[in-house]
Amino acid sequence: MSSQKGQNAAYQKCINPKCGAEFDTADVLFECPRCGDLLDCRYNWDKIAVPKKMSDFAKRWATRDNPLDFSGVWRFRELLNFCEDKFKASIGEGQTILQQNDEVGKYVNKKAGSLYLQYEGLNPSGSFKDNGMTAAFSHAKLVGTKTCACASTGNTSASMALYAHSCGLKAIVFIGSGKIAFGKLSQSMDYGAKTIQILGDFDDCMRQVQDVCRELKLYLLNSLNPFRLEGQKTIIYRVIEQLGWQVPDWIVVPGGNLGNSSAFGKAFLELKELGLIERVPRIAIVNAAGANTLTELVNDRKLFWNDGMVNEEIVDKYYADLTARNFRAHTIATAIEISRPVNLNKCLRTIDVCNGVVLAVTDEEIKDAKAVIGKFGLGCEPASAASVAGLKNLVAKGTIGPDERVVCILTGHLLKDPNLTVDYHTKKEGLFSNPPIEVPNDLDQIIKLLK
Ligand code: F0G
């Protein structure tokens, strides 16, 4: 254990200011060995040739035959400068789009031109996770890992399995039994990962995988891995890029294990420190009502970042309550069916940095929002639609103004969870159900129906 800050372009640092221990980037650590809190990847910016302005990154568009310039993650590589190019594990992630969408805007009572959807379903494995995996696998290659592992609600495992295959690593996936949407489960099996199904939920898997990784010296690819979050910062860079290098007023993101929200806050904090943006937007983090730990802790139990002195007693007491009630998270948005989010403290930092708000939405609100996004936008999985459902609530409450420029992050592809979509439409579960119409195998009757 030593102070690394002075020596290299990048180093790891405990986020807890009372501890603040620093470590080399070559150390494989998923928590601070001194105090157990989360670790950040930090930079000595004066040792890195960071562009003077965000728009300088646009010159990479002209050299897209270089795989690192093509990548929507590594195009911004000075802002995640923790390894040499030879380790970078890119498979063309981050070719995502920001869609301005007035129809979805109308649904949430936003004025025309003010709502944007950042569609991360276009990534190679169909979710935002690829942004983080390309970065974490680059670190895994740097440290010479042979086998990696993760617990997952499905997208992390799909993405990890895909990158492991392309990097020549073995992959072990821990999933809760019956807890994963079919699209995602099919991916990790098809990409060749060893899939371990635990009789439990994501929170159980998360606990087990950390112990297994410690015991067997496996490389952990959950968002406890600080390098994964470095990659996920680039979602924000691409939003800014697609807004003509401007910052929106709000980012709205679903909250599960709280990796994305943590990465976004860090991205904004660093861009502000570097003078690359003038202001930091606000953030809204949206839980599902049946998996609302963050909402409960922040809104009801008044848990704050408090300059890094997080009141762990509040968290411990809440988790003890959950255990006493034998509470299990439950939502149709299985991706965010999590009650003990591992990045809680980093997310609290984001809420502080971005003057954030937190709320929970019901499964019905998620399902209807998902159908509206499907009808007028790009289609997404249920957890992604929590962002739009959350925005609708925040506009109704007056927290977000109808004119304010808002970006909702659509985290995963529609085809990740086909069963839920089919049920919603065929069983007429919601306001926007669009079931197939049955008709006899008879031309006249078909024509009559369609006239
Ligand atoms: N949206 C989707 C589609 C997800 O898969 C996840 C998380 C989230 C939102 C929540 O993001 O954890 O950064 O707050 N999925 C993880 C997984 C937990 O295992 O695939 P978060």
Side-chain angles (χ1 to χ4, degrees):
M1 214 182 295
S2 61
S3 171
Q4 299 297 329
K5 187 169 166 36
Q7 299 162 29
N8 302 316
Y11 58 101
Q12 303 187 71
K13 186 175 171 71
C14 175
I15 68 163
N16 187 328
K18 273 190 278 183
C19 173
E22 292 173 4
F23 308 92
D24 198 281
T25 45
D27 293 338
V28 180
L29 301 167
F30 305 110
E31 61 182 23
C32 175
R34 199 183 285 174
C35 76
D37 212 326
L38 297 164
L39 294 171
D40 265 338
C41 177
R42 293 280 195 98
Y43 303 96
N44 285 310
W45 295 113
D46 54 348
K47 295 190 182 347
I48 300 169
V50 178
K52 297 269 176 299
K53 48 190 195 310
M54 284 299 272
S55 58
D56 288 349
F57 287 109
K59 65 176 182 290
R60 301 238 158 94
W61 297 341
T63 48
R64 288 165 69 87
D65 50 344
N66 171 355
L68 296 185
D69 290 351
F70 178 72
S71 166
V73 171
W74 297 111
R75 171 155 90 237
F76 301 100
R77 52 192 170 272
E78 288 82 359
L79 299 175
L80 52 156
N81 194 326
F82 62 81
C83 72
E84 292 172 56
D85 287 355
K86 66 179 180 192
F87 296 116
K88 287 174 184 156
S90 175
I91 53 172
E93 57 287 321
Q95 307 306 316
T96 58
I97 60 167
L98 184 75
Q99 184 194 59
Q100 195 227 300
N101 195 312
D102 288 345
E103 294 295 341
V104 178
K106 250 184 241 158
Y107 174 67
V108 298
N109 295 312
K110 292 281 298 149
K111 288 240 172 83
S114 69
L115 175 65
Y116 295 78
L117 306 174
Q118 171 67 16
Y119 188 51
E120 289 295 318
L122 287 175
N123 273 291
S125 79
S127 85
F128 75 91
K129 302 286 179 182
D130 298 346
N131 295 287
M133 287 300 164
T134 184
F137 271 92
S138 302
H139 184 254
K141 282 167 72 180
L142 167 83
V143 298
T145 304
K146 299 274 181 294
T147 308
C148 56
C150 71
S152 185
T153 56
N155 280 325
T156 298
S157 47
S159 181
M160 184 186 83
L162 183 60
Y163 277 83
H165 174 78
S166 80
C167 295
L169 267 68
K170 288 202 185 97
I172 306 174
V173 161
F174 289 81
I175 58 172
S177 52
K179 292 289 183 183
I180 289 204
F182 264 30
K184 306 175 189 183
L185 181 59
S186 63
Q187 284 179 290
S188 63
M189 294 190 299
D190 215 44
Y191 300 148
K194 184 176 280 189
T195 305
I196 312 284
Q197 203 163 345
I198 293 184
L199 292 173
D201 60 11
F202 174 83
D203 295 306
D204 298 318
C205 291
M206 192 66 234
R207 256 194 310 270
Q208 296 291 357
V209 75
Q210 289 180 70
D211 289 342
V212 171
C213 284
R214 237 173 258 128
E215 188 89 359
L216 300 179
K217 302 261 179 299
L218 306 181
Y219 188 87
L220 181 66
L221 273 162
N222 281 100
S223 47
L224 278 173
N225 182 319
F227 300 97
R228 234 193 74 184
L229 297 192
E230 291 307 289
Q232 288 171 216
K233 291 189 307 191
T234 66
I235 298 170
I236 292 303
Y237 307 153
R238 293 198 300 277
V239 165
I240 293 174
E241 178 181 54
Q242 292 166 103
L243 288 174
W245 308 106
Q246 286 176 10
V247 174
D249 296 314
W250 284 87
I251 297 279
V252 186
V253 63
N257 226 2
L258 306 178
N260 254 349
S261 45
S262 297
F264 294 177
K266 186 167 187 283
F268 286 122
L269 191 64
E270 290 173 351
L271 292 178
K272 186 83 189 355
E273 270 172 18
L274 288 165
L276 292 173
I277 56 173
E278 281 175 6
R279 66 179 175 86
V280 165
R282 297 190 69 186
I283 195 165
I285 304 166
V286 190
N287 280 156
N292 66 344
T293 292
L294 184 70
T295 310
E296 177 79 36
L297 287 174
V298 171
N299 293 355
D300 301 333
R301 303 191 182 209
K302 309 296 171 207
L303 185 72
F304 304 117
W305 170 241
N306 192 25
D307 290 327
M309 315 291 178
V310 175
N311 186 341
E312 299 292 347
E313 266 175 44
I314 296 179
V315 184
D316 291 345
K317 182 164 181 317
Y318 180 65
Y319 287 165
D321 288 354
L322 293 186
T323 307
R325 285 192 280 138
N326 195 20
F327 176 84
R328 297 278 164 182
H330 188 70
T331 165
I332 51 96
T334 50
I336 51 174
E337 194 179 56
I338 296 170
S339 64
R340 287 170 167 79
V342 295
N343 286 300
L344 178 62
N345 287 1
K346 282 186 179 174
C347 176
L348 295 173
R349 180 173 66 183
T350 291
I351 294 169
D352 188 64
V353 169
C354 298
N355 188 15
V357 298
V358 177
L359 73 161
V361 292
T362 64
D363 283 359
E364 285 63 38
E365 290 172 309
I366 291 174
K367 284 200 246 182
D368 284 338
K370 189 184 104 54
V372 172
I373 296 162
K375 191 168 176 191
F376 298 115
L378 295 148
C380 64
E381 66 168 282
S384 312
S387 60
V388 170
L391 173 60
K392 190 168 165 53
N393 282 342
L394 291 168
V395 175
K397 272 199 259 174
T399 310
I400 297 184
D403 287 318
E404 287 189 281
R405 188 141 75 154
V406 178
V407 175
C408 288
I409 311 293
L410 300 185
T411 45
H413 200 284
L414 168 75
L415 296 175
K416 291 280 190 174
D417 192 350
N419 300 43
L420 180 125
T421 306
V422 170
D423 279 352
Y424 178 85
H425 290 294
T426 56
K427 296 181 185 165
K428 301 189 192 155
E429 288 176 355
L431 296 174
F432 303 94
S433 295
N434 178 29
I437 305 160
E438 271 186 35
V439 61
N441 186 13
D442 175 90
L443 183 62
D444 286 347
Q445 294 203 49
I446 296 170
I447 299 280
K448 200 167 142 211
L449 181 80
L450 293 175
K451 262 190 178 164

